[in-house]
Amino acid sequence: MERKKFIIIVLLCFTLLLSFTLSVLFGSVSVRLSDILKSLLSLNTGSTSHTLITAVRLPRALGGLFAGMGLSVSGIILQSVMNNSLAGPSTIGINSGSGFCIMLAMLLFPQSGFLLPLSAFLGAFTASLAVFLLAYLADSSRTTIILAGITISSFLNAGTNTIKILDTELSVNLVSFMAGSLSGLTMAKLFLPCLGILTALILSFSLCRALNILSLGEDTARSLGLNVPFIRLVFLLLASLLAGCVVSFGGLISFVGLVVPHICRQLFGSDARFLLPCSSLLGGSLVLICDLAGRVLFRPFELPVGILTSLIGGPFFLYLLLKKKGGRRVNA
């Protein structure tokens, strides 16, 4: 491994550890580092700080960590499978698909909270498959994929708005969900989604070689013996599982799966062996830092993490669209 890459990886690990620690330490009420250690060792179980750390701060920090990891790796997988670096969970309709199916499940089965991760995954996979099929039937250009994503998102958003009109009480309770928020998380809510994200991450890391071959192009991948249709389906399933699980507990957090892959490609190139793990580190740090900023900078109010990631990702997306190279517009 090159010395430069090794140093960057060490810095990413340190940044993730620091951002996780700060996320637990600071908020509307600050706690001391010694309180965190005592809480983890169960030395002050009856104190207010112990309750704050174990019931509020730790679940929220873990939620931010897994959300950033899931969305970032999902973004890299989608960009490789669709051969389009503008693809991501929020730009091709995966988040919208998850959100629609979650709201539909809450409307039809209001007491069945365990259905939310499954509904989110089904919605994400259906949306990603629909976008891929639309682009394939029309043409395989990068622009077509984005337009297909916008089309699918429009239909799904119409369905979401219809559900909000049909059930006004549900609409009021889902304001933070639509904005993308990590507030109110508990270990019980996180268990199934985080288990799904962890499983998908491990499987994705184990398939780095196949992802590298797929990124060489369909013809080259076939000549190297790769079963392209099957491996694409597997990667779409993994990307959908990652994004869907995040939406099930974090709501519609946008642009993480677009910004982080581009930064990591600038640092590590296109080798998935570095891209996937390092994007998970950077993505976890980004979401944790944005969530912490939303809590600390706007006290006593709280700005949802999805708003801050959109403020970062929106201009970044426009930059990619308008970027030129050699006098010609890049297909980003």
Side-chain angles (χ1 to χ4, degrees), residues 43-70:
L43 298 178
N44 58 346
T45 55
S47 67
T48 303
S49 60
H50 174 80
T51 303
L52 176 64
I53 291 169
T54 57
V56 179
R57 295 284 175 81
L58 275 177
R60 184 162 188 160
L62 286 172
L65 174 68
F66 277 95
M69 287 182 167

PDB file of all heavy atoms in Angstrom, residues 43-70:
ATOM      1  N   LEU A  43     -20.872   1.949  35.702  1.00  0.00           N
ATOM      2  CA  LEU A  43     -20.455   2.358  37.045  1.00  0.00           C
ATOM      3  C   LEU A  43     -21.376   3.398  37.662  1.00  0.00           C
ATOM      4  O   LEU A  43     -21.322   3.627  38.867  1.00  0.00           O
ATOM      5  CB  LEU A  43     -19.016   2.915  36.989  1.00  0.00           C
ATOM      6  CG  LEU A  43     -17.934   1.927  36.529  1.00  0.00           C
ATOM      7  CD1 LEU A  43     -16.579   2.610  36.482  1.00  0.00           C
ATOM      8  CD2 LEU A  43     -17.888   0.714  37.456  1.00  0.00           C
ATOM      9  N   ASN A  44     -22.216   4.040  36.861  1.00  0.00           N
ATOM     10  CA  ASN A  44     -23.122   5.064  37.405  1.00  0.00           C
ATOM     11  C   ASN A  44     -24.510   4.902  36.802  1.00  0.00           C
ATOM     12  O   ASN A  44     -25.073   5.828  36.219  1.00  0.00           O
ATOM     13  CB  ASN A  44     -22.571   6.469  37.152  1.00  0.00           C
ATOM     14  CG  ASN A  44     -22.363   6.743  35.671  1.00  0.00           C
ATOM     15  OD1 ASN A  44     -22.382   5.831  34.859  1.00  0.00           O
ATOM     16  ND2 ASN A  44     -22.178   8.015  35.337  1.00  0.00           N
ATOM     17  N   THR A  45     -25.066   3.706  36.922  1.00  0.00           N
ATOM     18  CA  THR A  45     -26.319   3.372  36.235  1.00  0.00           C
ATOM     19  C   THR A  45     -27.506   4.200  36.695  1.00  0.00           C
ATOM     20  O   THR A  45     -28.482   4.320  35.963  1.00  0.00           O
ATOM     21  CB  THR A  45     -26.638   1.880  36.449  1.00  0.00           C
ATOM     22  OG1 THR A  45     -26.656   1.593  37.860  1.00  0.00           O
ATOM     23  CG2 THR A  45     -25.590   1.001  35.775  1.00  0.00           C
ATOM     24  N   GLY A  46     -27.448   4.767  37.868  1.00  0.00           N
ATOM     25  CA  GLY A  46     -28.602   5.523  38.357  1.00  0.00           C
ATOM     26  C   GLY A  46     -28.558   7.002  38.053  1.00  0.00           C
ATOM     27  O   GLY A  46     -29.505   7.726  38.356  1.00  0.00           O
ATOM     28  N   SER A  47     -27.501   7.477  37.414  1.00  0.00           N
ATOM     29  CA  SER A  47     -27.345   8.907  37.184  1.00  0.00           C
ATOM     30  C   SER A  47     -28.067   9.369  35.928  1.00  0.00           C
ATOM     31  O   SER A  47     -28.385   8.579  35.036  1.00  0.00           O
ATOM     32  CB  SER A  47     -25.854   9.260  37.077  1.00  0.00           C
ATOM     33  OG  SER A  47     -25.313   8.681  35.919  1.00  0.00           O
ATOM     34  N   THR A  48     -28.287  10.685  35.879  1.00  0.00           N
ATOM     35  CA  THR A  48     -28.935  11.274  34.704  1.00  0.00           C
ATOM     36  C   THR A  48     -28.038  11.177  33.475  1.00  0.00           C
ATOM     37  O   THR A  48     -28.507  10.925  32.369  1.00  0.00           O
ATOM     38  CB  THR A  48     -29.269  12.750  34.970  1.00  0.00           C
ATOM     39  OG1 THR A  48     -30.093  12.848  36.134  1.00  0.00           O
ATOM     40  CG2 THR A  48     -29.999  13.362  33.790  1.00  0.00           C
ATOM     41  N   SER A  49     -26.742  11.361  33.677  1.00  0.00           N
ATOM     42  CA  SER A  49     -25.806  11.296  32.548  1.00  0.00           C
ATOM     43  C   SER A  49     -25.777   9.900  31.941  1.00  0.00           C
ATOM     44  O   SER A  49     -25.660   9.749  30.714  1.00  0.00           O
ATOM     45  CB  SER A  49     -24.401  11.703  32.998  1.00  0.00           C
ATOM     46  OG  SER A  49     -23.932  10.840  34.016  1.00  0.00           O
ATOM     47  N   HIS A  50     -25.901   8.865  32.786  1.00  0.00           N
ATOM     48  CA  HIS A  50     -25.927   7.487  32.268  1.00  0.00           C
ATOM     49  C   HIS A  50     -27.150   7.273  31.373  1.00  0.00           C
ATOM     50  O   HIS A  50     -27.044   6.696  30.281  1.00  0.00           O
ATOM     51  CB  HIS A  50     -25.951   6.485  33.429  1.00  0.00           C
ATOM     52  CG  HIS A  50     -26.118   5.060  32.984  1.00  0.00           C
ATOM     53  ND1 HIS A  50     -25.084   4.300  32.503  1.00  0.00           N
ATOM     54  CD2 HIS A  50     -27.228   4.263  32.940  1.00  0.00           C
ATOM     55  CE1 HIS A  50     -25.524   3.103  32.182  1.00  0.00           C
ATOM     56  NE2 HIS A  50     -26.821   3.048  32.433  1.00  0.00           N
ATOM     57  N   THR A  51     -28.304   7.748  31.825  1.00  0.00           N
ATOM     58  CA  THR A  51     -29.526   7.622  31.022  1.00  0.00           C
ATOM     59  C   THR A  51     -29.411   8.392  29.721  1.00  0.00           C
ATOM     60  O   THR A  51     -29.794   7.896  28.648  1.00  0.00           O
ATOM     61  CB  THR A  51     -30.736   8.127  31.823  1.00  0.00           C
ATOM     62  OG1 THR A  51     -30.825   7.406  33.049  1.00  0.00           O
ATOM     63  CG2 THR A  51     -32.026   7.949  31.028  1.00  0.00           C
ATOM     64  N   LEU A  52     -28.851   9.605  29.801  1.00  0.00           N
ATOM     65  CA  LEU A  52     -28.687  10.428  28.601  1.00  0.00           C
ATOM     66  C   LEU A  52     -27.767   9.754  27.591  1.00  0.00           C
ATOM     67  O   LEU A  52     -28.065   9.705  26.384  1.00  0.00           O
ATOM     68  CB  LEU A  52     -28.126  11.797  28.991  1.00  0.00           C
ATOM     69  CG  LEU A  52     -27.793  12.771  27.849  1.00  0.00           C
ATOM     70  CD1 LEU A  52     -29.044  13.157  27.101  1.00  0.00           C
ATOM     71  CD2 LEU A  52     -27.067  13.996  28.382  1.00  0.00           C
ATOM     72  N   ILE A  53     -26.677   9.205  28.073  1.00  0.00           N
ATOM     73  CA  ILE A  53     -25.689   8.612  27.170  1.00  0.00           C
ATOM     74  C   ILE A  53     -26.200   7.319  26.559  1.00  0.00           C
ATOM     75  O   ILE A  53     -26.148   7.121  25.336  1.00  0.00           O
ATOM     76  CB  ILE A  53     -24.367   8.368  27.927  1.00  0.00           C
ATOM     77  CG1 ILE A  53     -23.710   9.707  28.269  1.00  0.00           C
ATOM     78  CG2 ILE A  53     -23.414   7.521  27.074  1.00  0.00           C
ATOM     79  CD1 ILE A  53     -22.559   9.588  29.235  1.00  0.00           C
ATOM     80  N   THR A  54     -26.714   6.414  27.394  1.00  0.00           N
ATOM     81  CA  THR A  54     -27.095   5.089  26.899  1.00  0.00           C
ATOM     82  C   THR A  54     -28.425   5.078  26.158  1.00  0.00           C
ATOM     83  O   THR A  54     -28.609   4.285  25.225  1.00  0.00           O
ATOM     84  CB  THR A  54     -27.173   4.094  28.070  1.00  0.00           C
ATOM     85  OG1 THR A  54     -28.110   4.578  29.055  1.00  0.00           O
ATOM     86  CG2 THR A  54     -25.810   3.918  28.717  1.00  0.00           C
ATOM     87  N   ALA A  55     -29.360   5.954  26.548  1.00  0.00           N
ATOM     88  CA  ALA A  55     -30.691   5.924  25.932  1.00  0.00           C
ATOM     89  C   ALA A  55     -30.843   6.914  24.789  1.00  0.00           C
ATOM     90  O   ALA A  55     -31.728   6.745  23.942  1.00  0.00           O
ATOM     91  CB  ALA A  55     -31.762   6.196  26.992  1.00  0.00           C
ATOM     92  N   VAL A  56     -30.005   7.957  24.746  1.00  0.00           N
ATOM     93  CA  VAL A  56     -30.172   9.008  23.738  1.00  0.00           C
ATOM     94  C   VAL A  56     -28.930   9.148  22.845  1.00  0.00           C
ATOM     95  O   VAL A  56     -29.014   9.002  21.617  1.00  0.00           O
ATOM     96  CB  VAL A  56     -30.499  10.364  24.406  1.00  0.00           C
ATOM     97  CG1 VAL A  56     -30.652  11.448  23.343  1.00  0.00           C
ATOM     98  CG2 VAL A  56     -31.755  10.252  25.247  1.00  0.00           C
ATOM     99  N   ARG A  57     -27.791   9.437  23.469  1.00  0.00           N
ATOM    100  CA  ARG A  57     -26.608   9.790  22.682  1.00  0.00           C
ATOM    101  C   ARG A  57     -26.012   8.607  21.922  1.00  0.00           C
ATOM    102  O   ARG A  57     -25.696   8.724  20.725  1.00  0.00           O
ATOM    103  CB  ARG A  57     -25.551  10.405  23.599  1.00  0.00           C
ATOM    104  CG  ARG A  57     -25.962  11.736  24.219  1.00  0.00           C
ATOM    105  CD  ARG A  57     -25.885  12.873  23.213  1.00  0.00           C
ATOM    106  NE  ARG A  57     -26.378  14.112  23.779  1.00  0.00           N
ATOM    107  CZ  ARG A  57     -25.652  14.910  24.571  1.00  0.00           C
ATOM    108  NH1 ARG A  57     -24.409  14.580  24.880  1.00  0.00           N
ATOM    109  NH2 ARG A  57     -26.176  16.021  25.037  1.00  0.00           N
ATOM    110  N   LEU A  58     -25.812   7.472  22.590  1.00  0.00           N
ATOM    111  CA  LEU A  58     -25.208   6.326  21.911  1.00  0.00           C
ATOM    112  C   LEU A  58     -26.062   5.806  20.752  1.00  0.00           C
ATOM    113  O   LEU A  58     -25.532   5.567  19.658  1.00  0.00           O
ATOM    114  CB  LEU A  58     -24.925   5.206  22.915  1.00  0.00           C
ATOM    115  CG  LEU A  58     -23.591   5.300  23.670  1.00  0.00           C
ATOM    116  CD1 LEU A  58     -23.472   4.169  24.672  1.00  0.00           C
ATOM    117  CD2 LEU A  58     -22.417   5.277  22.702  1.00  0.00           C
ATOM    118  N   PRO A  59     -27.390   5.613  20.941  1.00  0.00           N
ATOM    119  CA  PRO A  59     -28.200   5.195  19.788  1.00  0.00           C
ATOM    120  C   PRO A  59     -28.139   6.183  18.634  1.00  0.00           C
ATOM    121  O   PRO A  59     -28.070   5.778  17.466  1.00  0.00           O
ATOM    122  CB  PRO A  59     -29.619   5.091  20.371  1.00  0.00           C
ATOM    123  CG  PRO A  59     -29.416   4.859  21.815  1.00  0.00           C
ATOM    124  CD  PRO A  59     -28.183   5.637  22.177  1.00  0.00           C
ATOM    125  N   ARG A  60     -28.135   7.466  18.954  1.00  0.00           N
ATOM    126  CA  ARG A  60     -28.090   8.475  17.890  1.00  0.00           C
ATOM    127  C   ARG A  60     -26.753   8.446  17.157  1.00  0.00           C
ATOM    128  O   ARG A  60     -26.704   8.538  15.917  1.00  0.00           O
ATOM    129  CB  ARG A  60     -28.337   9.852  18.489  1.00  0.00           C
ATOM    130  CG  ARG A  60     -28.393  10.951  17.443  1.00  0.00           C
ATOM    131  CD  ARG A  60     -29.046  12.182  17.991  1.00  0.00           C
ATOM    132  NE  ARG A  60     -29.278  13.160  16.944  1.00  0.00           N
ATOM    133  CZ  ARG A  60     -30.154  14.145  17.022  1.00  0.00           C
ATOM    134  NH1 ARG A  60     -30.904  14.260  18.106  1.00  0.00           N
ATOM    135  NH2 ARG A  60     -30.307  15.005  16.035  1.00  0.00           N
ATOM    136  N   ALA A  61     -25.665   8.309  17.910  1.00  0.00           N
ATOM    137  CA  ALA A  61     -24.347   8.248  17.282  1.00  0.00           C
ATOM    138  C   ALA A  61     -24.201   6.985  16.433  1.00  0.00           C
ATOM    139  O   ALA A  61     -23.659   7.030  15.326  1.00  0.00           O
ATOM    140  CB  ALA A  61     -23.257   8.305  18.348  1.00  0.00           C
ATOM    141  N   LEU A  62     -24.682   5.861  16.933  1.00  0.00           N
ATOM    142  CA  LEU A  62     -24.629   4.626  16.150  1.00  0.00           C
ATOM    143  C   LEU A  62     -25.491   4.737  14.893  1.00  0.00           C
ATOM    144  O   LEU A  62     -25.105   4.249  13.820  1.00  0.00           O
ATOM    145  CB  LEU A  62     -25.105   3.442  17.008  1.00  0.00           C
ATOM    146  CG  LEU A  62     -24.124   2.951  18.080  1.00  0.00           C
ATOM    147  CD1 LEU A  62     -24.798   1.914  18.969  1.00  0.00           C
ATOM    148  CD2 LEU A  62     -22.876   2.362  17.431  1.00  0.00           C
ATOM    149  N   GLY A  63     -26.645   5.383  15.020  1.00  0.00           N
ATOM    150  CA  GLY A  63     -27.502   5.605  13.861  1.00  0.00           C
ATOM    151  C   GLY A  63     -26.814   6.440  12.803  1.00  0.00           C
ATOM    152  O   GLY A  63     -26.864   6.133  11.606  1.00  0.00           O
ATOM    153  N   GLY A  64     -26.142   7.514  13.229  1.00  0.00           N
ATOM    154  CA  GLY A  64     -25.403   8.343  12.277  1.00  0.00           C
ATOM    155  C   GLY A  64     -24.257   7.596  11.631  1.00  0.00           C
ATOM    156  O   GLY A  64     -24.004   7.735  10.426  1.00  0.00           O
ATOM    157  N   LEU A  65     -23.556   6.780  12.421  1.00  0.00           N
ATOM    158  CA  LEU A  65     -22.447   5.993  11.902  1.00  0.00           C
ATOM    159  C   LEU A  65     -22.912   5.029  10.813  1.00  0.00           C
ATOM    160  O   LEU A  65     -22.358   5.000   9.704  1.00  0.00           O
ATOM    161  CB  LEU A  65     -21.799   5.220  13.053  1.00  0.00           C
ATOM    162  CG  LEU A  65     -20.705   4.222  12.692  1.00  0.00           C
ATOM    163  CD1 LEU A  65     -19.469   4.952  12.177  1.00  0.00           C
ATOM    164  CD2 LEU A  65     -20.342   3.361  13.897  1.00  0.00           C
ATOM    165  N   PHE A  66     -23.949   4.250  11.106  1.00  0.00           N
ATOM    166  CA  PHE A  66     -24.425   3.259  10.142  1.00  0.00           C
ATOM    167  C   PHE A  66     -25.121   3.923   8.948  1.00  0.00           C
ATOM    168  O   PHE A  66     -25.058   3.399   7.833  1.00  0.00           O
ATOM    169  CB  PHE A  66     -25.368   2.266  10.825  1.00  0.00           C
ATOM    170  CG  PHE A  66     -24.655   1.166  11.545  1.00  0.00           C
ATOM    171  CD1 PHE A  66     -24.385   1.256  12.898  1.00  0.00           C
ATOM    172  CD2 PHE A  66     -24.235   0.036  10.863  1.00  0.00           C
ATOM    173  CE1 PHE A  66     -23.718   0.242  13.562  1.00  0.00           C
ATOM    174  CE2 PHE A  66     -23.572  -0.985  11.511  1.00  0.00           C
ATOM    175  CZ  PHE A  66     -23.304  -0.890  12.881  1.00  0.00           C
ATOM    176  N   ALA A  67     -25.778   5.059   9.184  1.00  0.00           N
ATOM    177  CA  ALA A  67     -26.413   5.766   8.070  1.00  0.00           C
ATOM    178  C   ALA A  67     -25.379   6.240   7.067  1.00  0.00           C
ATOM    179  O   ALA A  67     -25.535   6.068   5.852  1.00  0.00           O
ATOM    180  CB  ALA A  67     -27.226   6.946   8.595  1.00  0.00           C
ATOM    181  N   GLY A  68     -24.303   6.847   7.558  1.00  0.00           N
ATOM    182  CA  GLY A  68     -23.258   7.321   6.663  1.00  0.00           C
ATOM    183  C   GLY A  68     -22.570   6.192   5.925  1.00  0.00           C
ATOM    184  O   GLY A  68     -22.312   6.282   4.715  1.00  0.00           O
ATOM    185  N   MET A  69     -22.292   5.109   6.627  1.00  0.00           N
ATOM    186  CA  MET A  69     -21.664   3.956   5.983  1.00  0.00           C
ATOM    187  C   MET A  69     -22.561   3.356   4.907  1.00  0.00           C
ATOM    188  O   MET A  69     -22.127   3.084   3.780  1.00  0.00           O
ATOM    189  CB  MET A  69     -21.337   2.888   7.037  1.00  0.00           C
ATOM    190  CG  MET A  69     -20.182   3.229   7.943  1.00  0.00           C
ATOM    191  SD  MET A  69     -19.850   1.888   9.118  1.00  0.00           S
ATOM    192  CE  MET A  69     -18.255   2.397   9.756  1.00  0.00           C
ATOM    193  N   GLY A  70     -23.829   3.141   5.255  1.00  0.00           N
ATOM    194  CA  GLY A  70     -24.751   2.512   4.318  1.00  0.00           C
ATOM    195  C   GLY A  70     -24.974   3.327   3.066  1.00  0.00           C
ATOM    196  O   GLY A  70     -24.915   2.806   1.940  1.00  0.00           O
TER     197      GLY A  70
END
